[in-house]
Amino acid sequence: MPETTPPQPTTQITAQHRELLDQVLDKWSLQVLDRLCESPSRFNELRRAIPVITQKSLTATLRRLERNGMVDRVVVNTRPLAVEYRISALGKTLQDLIDALLGWTTATMPEVERARERFDEHA
Amino acid sequence: MPETTPPQPTTQITAQHRELLDQVLDKWSLQVLDRLCESPSRFNELRRAIPVITQKSLTATLRRLERNGMVDRVVVNTRPLAVEYRISALGKTLQDLIDALLGWTTATMPEVERARERFDEHA
DNA sequence: CGGTATCCCTTCTGATACTG
DNA sequence: CAGTATCAGAAGGGATACCG
């Protein structure tokens, strides 16, 4: 019996998949999600927690994450105006993946370093 | 007994982690790794398999993946000159993660779409 | 075949200043 | 407090031409 269709679970990488990953695994999102997983935070709390981020980038990151349903933006009250950001249920599922990614980088970093040295010294 | 150190498995996100993820989960790497997981491929085979990629980007992607130990570059012979790219053992561990990422995007895409619609129509 | 080198243009990022 | 607006510099990616 010939196997015409091999049992690959080959998940097709469409532009949609790429776009979502880009919007959600970018430079700042990991840090922001990590913070929000520990506790809901205010805008300036996040700024202080991630000192190198600029206002602009933080705003952009939060809007993007909010738009994709990863965080909830809650306007707590007015005078002077307080906004709280919370991780959503969807965002928590993402956090599990991020943990897996970070676990992978931690585990493979030594071997990656060796590969880089081999590559660089040979070139 | 006070818990001075909470039991968070909070993996710290260092610049090193970010850099590695950036180099390995970028726009083209997922496609390239996916192809190489199915079978070793020559340079122009990859170009044909990923039609929208340019020579420049494919070269850069392959060099980066090779430098990080994710793929092996094998010069098969000379005249006219053949080069084969293969996924490495390290690259295979990455592929598992990529599959998890793609599975996540597939699973959550519907809810993400709904979140986007809510966000966009409300704005 | 399997690249490298160059130009160019768009995108991303950061710094700074201002607002409800 | 929680942003928006504007601008300049750096970086990324495509198109084209050429090389071992």
Side-chain angles (χ1 to χ4, degrees):
Chain A
M1 46 195 76
E3 297 172 2
T4 40
T5 48
Q8 330 156 267
T10 314
T11 350
Q12 264 304 95
I13 304 174
T14 68
Q16 295 218 333
H17 290 80
R18 260 261 52 103
E19 189 205 14
L20 179 53
L21 291 177
D22 280 343
Q23 298 208 359
V24 128
L25 294 181
D26 68 280
K27 186 176 179 188
W28 298 116
S29 292
L30 303 200
Q31 266 110 307
V32 170
L33 288 170
D34 234 45
R35 286 297 308 179
L36 293 184
C37 263
E38 289 177 29
S39 71
S41 304
R42 304 269 298 269
F43 187 85
N44 283 318
E45 276 187 286
L46 287 170
R47 279 196 77 183
R48 282 186 292 272
I50 312 169
V52 284
I53 200 172
T54 61
Q55 282 176 327
K56 186 182 173 182
S57 297
L58 181 54
T59 305
T61 301
L62 287 169
R63 284 293 170 283
R64 212 181 311 117
L65 291 175
E66 186 196 356
R67 178 167 187 269
N68 287 288
M70 300 296 143
V71 312
D72 296 324
R73 180 176 183 272
V74 187
V75 178
V76 177
N77 60 43
T78 32
R79 274 16 263 176
L81 175 63
V83 178
E84 198 172 79
Y85 291 93
R86 307 171 161 278
I87 190 109
S88 70
L90 211 54
K92 282 197 191 104
T93 70
L94 176 56
Q95 182 63 20
D96 292 341
L97 274 177
I98 292 177
D99 284 343
L101 288 175
L102 294 179
W104 180 83
T105 57
T106 304
T108 63
M109 191 65 82
E111 195 161 348
V112 169
E113 304 257 4
R114 261 176 275 131
R116 287 178 180 176
E117 280 163 29
R118 255 180 278 127
F119 185 95
D120 292 345
E121 82 186 7
H122 166 80
Chain B
M1 49 194 77
E3 297 173 1
T4 38
T5 48
Q8 327 156 271
T10 314
T11 351
Q12 264 305 94
I13 305 172
T14 68
Q16 295 217 334
H17 289 80
R18 259 265 47 106
E19 189 205 15
L20 178 53
L21 291 177
D22 281 342
Q23 298 207 1
V24 129
L25 294 180
D26 68 280
K27 186 178 181 187
W28 298 115
S29 291
L30 303 200
Q31 266 110 308
V32 170
L33 289 170
D34 234 45
R35 286 299 306 181
L36 293 184
C37 264
E38 287 176 32
S39 73
S41 303
R42 306 268 298 270
F43 187 86
N44 283 318
E45 275 186 286
L46 286 170
R47 278 196 77 183
R48 283 187 291 272
I50 312 170
V52 283
I53 201 171
T54 61
Q55 281 175 326
K56 185 183 174 182
S57 297
L58 181 54
T59 305
T61 301
L62 288 169
R63 286 292 170 284
R64 212 181 311 117
L65 291 176
E66 186 196 357
R67 178 166 186 270
N68 287 287
M70 301 296 141
V71 313
D72 296 324
R73 181 174 182 273
V74 187
V75 178
V76 177
N77 60 44
T78 34
R79 273 17 262 173
L81 174 64
V83 178
E84 197 172 82
Y85 291 93
R86 305 172 162 278
I87 191 111
S88 69
L90 210 54
K92 283 199 189 99
T93 70
L94 176 57
Q95 182 63 19
D96 292 340
L97 273 176
I98 292 177
D99 284 343
L101 288 175
L102 293 179
W104 179 83
T105 56
T106 304
T108 63
M109 191 64 84
E111 194 162 347
V112 169
E113 304 257 4
R114 263 176 274 129
R116 288 178 178 175
E117 280 164 27
R118 258 180 277 127
F119 184 94
D120 292 346
E121 81 185 8
H122 166 81

